[in-house]
């Protein structure tokens, strides 16, 4: 049973630093072996690739471009009339992924058009999404890349987002039927929309290609106050055989990373957060006197 591996989401972590090269250096100095970023397109891919190499990092996830954010767009995959723009953005994402050695691209579904009723446009948007996903699967397969679908909660984060539950995303993936399209599990969004995390993780993990985490409802680090028991959830992911990366996509509220003050490196290369009153833990996930904390991440 392999220990979980964590990636720093540079769109969220190290917010005090401007520019992705500086955040790449910070992530490498903090002990991460991998990073992810929503939209890397403000920097030339060669600059980012060099900065990642110098920091000893690999890129594991980027997103397709959001579209025209000034007009309220947040992805184009399911947006009627924007098929050409989606495919143009996909080409850009593939260029960056190849230059960065990044194996996964989140294919953003986008929002229900302003002023439209979700129920009235659902069938049309799904048809557009299926068409675009079939096209994307073919393009990605040529480059040995994986496309991901991420449900985003519509109760708090983005009320207009088209894809908002794992059930909806899984049904669309089944209709497309392409092996290089998978599900992106953001535990923050899944908890808000549906709860039942144990059941949903066990049901959908076979088609999950990437996981992201944040505490609910504040979207802070897993050790921040909230309703999720991350030591349990991390152990569940391990027990169910998840072998991908876990993205740290949260708003740092305390230490940010690591999730504990005292670090100890054992001979396996793992890092544990320890307290003076506790012996070496038999499991990397346990209760701490200051609350529940993650106890391990794997160094490159």
């Amino acid at each position: 049973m392999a220990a979980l591996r964590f990636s720093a989401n540079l769109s969220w972590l190290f917010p005090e630093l401007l520019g992705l090269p500086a955040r790449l250096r910070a992530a490498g100095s903090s002990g991460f072996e991998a990073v992810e970023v929503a939209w890397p397109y403000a920097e030339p891919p060669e600059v980012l690739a060099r900065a990642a190499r110098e920091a000893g990092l690999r890129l594991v996830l980027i997103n397709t471009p959001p579209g025209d954010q000034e007009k309220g767009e947040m992805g184009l995959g399911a947006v009627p009339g924007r098929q050409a723009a989606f495919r143009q953005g996909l080409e850009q994402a593939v260029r960056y992924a190849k230059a960065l050695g990044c194996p996964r691209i989140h294919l953003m579904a986008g929002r229900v058009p302003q002023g439209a009723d979700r129920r009235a446009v659902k069938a049309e948007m799904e048809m557009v999404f299926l068409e675009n996903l079939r096209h994307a699967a073919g393009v990605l397969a040529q480059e040995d890349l994986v496309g991901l679908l991420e449900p985003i909660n519509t109760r708090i984060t983005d009320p207009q987002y088209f894809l908002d539950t794992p059930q909806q995303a899984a049904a669309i993936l089944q209709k497309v039927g392409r092996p290089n399209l998978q599900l992106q599990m953001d535990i923050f969004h899944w908890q808000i929309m549906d709860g039942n995390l144990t059941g949903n993780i066990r049901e959908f993990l076979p088609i999950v290609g990437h996981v992201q985490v944040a505490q609910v409802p504040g979207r802070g680090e897993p050790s921040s106050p909230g309703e999720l028991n991350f030591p349990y959830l991390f152990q569940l992911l391990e027990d169910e055989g998840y072998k991908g990366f876990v993205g740290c996509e949260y708003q740092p509220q305390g230490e940010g990373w690591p999730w504990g003050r005292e670090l100890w490196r054992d001979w396996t290369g793992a890092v544990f957060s320890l307290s003076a009153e506790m012996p070496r833990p038999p499991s990397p996930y346990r209760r701490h006197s200051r609350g529940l904390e993650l106890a391990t991440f794997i160094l490159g």
Side-chain angles (χ1 to χ4, degrees):
M1 182 173 62
L4 296 179
R5 301 174 298 166
F6 291 83
S7 57
N9 190 304
L10 300 185
S11 300
W12 291 75
L13 299 190
F14 313 109
E16 70 280 3
L17 300 177
L18 297 179
L20 287 177
R23 295 188 183 191
L24 283 163
R25 290 190 292 271
S29 299
S30 298
F32 285 99
E33 63 168 298
V35 295
E36 56 193 71
V37 60
W39 302 305
Y41 308 111
E43 302 274 359
E46 297 80 10
V47 172
L48 296 180
R50 182 171 61 251
R53 286 195 303 269
E54 291 173 351
L57 295 166
R58 50 178 160 164
L59 270 289
V60 297
L61 176 67
I62 61 174
N63 293 0
T64 50
D68 191 339
Q69 290 184 286
E70 292 186 0
K71 295 182 178 179
E73 292 183 328
M74 188 58 68
L76 301 172
V79 180
R82 296 289 276 154
Q83 290 93 323
F86 170 80
R87 296 183 182 195
Q88 182 179 2
L90 176 66
E91 291 178 1
Q92 183 182 24
V94 168
R95 288 197 302 272
Y96 269 74
K98 290 172 61 179
L100 297 170
C102 178
R104 299 171 197 85
I105 299 174
H106 168 203
L107 307 171
M108 299 194 70
R111 291 170 171 159
V112 174
Q114 294 182 7
D117 179 79
R118 176 182 294 272
R119 291 171 294 182
V121 300
K122 181 179 179 180
E124 180 186 9
M125 292 190 71
E126 181 173 303
M127 181 179 65
V128 170
F129 203 22
L130 291 171
E131 174 190 333
N132 281 331
L133 290 175
R134 292 187 181 106
H135 170 79
V139 172
L140 296 175
Q142 293 176 9
E143 306 296 341
D144 197 26
L145 298 173
V146 172
L148 300 175
L149 275 61
E150 180 189 16
I152 295 176
N153 82 81
T154 51
R155 289 179 172 158
I156 296 176
T157 301
D158 195 336
Q160 292 301 110
Y161 205 75
F162 172 70
L163 192 69
D164 64 354
T165 69
Q167 292 82 5
Q168 180 191 12
I172 288 173
L173 286 172
Q174 186 175 25
K175 290 178 181 179
V176 178
R178 302 296 175 86
N180 66 329
L181 298 185
Q182 299 176 344
L183 185 59
Q184 183 170 319
M185 177 201 300
D186 189 319
I187 288 176
F188 173 80
H189 295 305
W190 287 30
Q191 168 68 5
I192 291 171
M193 288 304 296
D194 193 51
N196 187 32
L197 287 177
T198 298
N200 283 335
I201 287 172
R202 286 175 173 159
E203 179 179 357
F204 295 114
L205 197 62
I207 60 171
V208 167
H210 191 72
V211 173
Q212 293 174 326
V213 295
Q215 185 57 270
V216 177
R219 208 165 189 177
E221 55 263 33
S223 61
S224 62
E227 62 194 57
L228 295 182
N229 181 344
F230 272 103
Y232 168 81
L233 293 172
F234 289 143
Q235 191 67 61
L236 177 64
L237 287 172
E238 282 195 1
D239 291 345
E240 294 297 314
Y242 179 66
K243 294 180 174 60
F245 280 90
V246 177
C248 298
E249 186 180 279
Y250 52 75
Q251 297 169 340
Q253 297 180 5
E255 296 173 76
W257 180 269
W259 306 320
R261 297 178 180 176
E262 298 166 286
L263 299 178
W264 171 75
R265 186 194 305 255
D266 76 356
W267 64 272
T268 66
V271 172
F272 294 90
S273 168
L274 299 178
S275 66
E277 70 275 19
M278 293 186 67
R280 176 172 171 172
S283 167
Y285 311 109
R286 87 283 179 226
R287 288 191 175 271
H288 189 284
S289 60
R290 293 190 295 269
L292 292 171
E293 295 182 1
L294 171 71
T296 183
F297 64 90
I298 302 301
L299 296 176

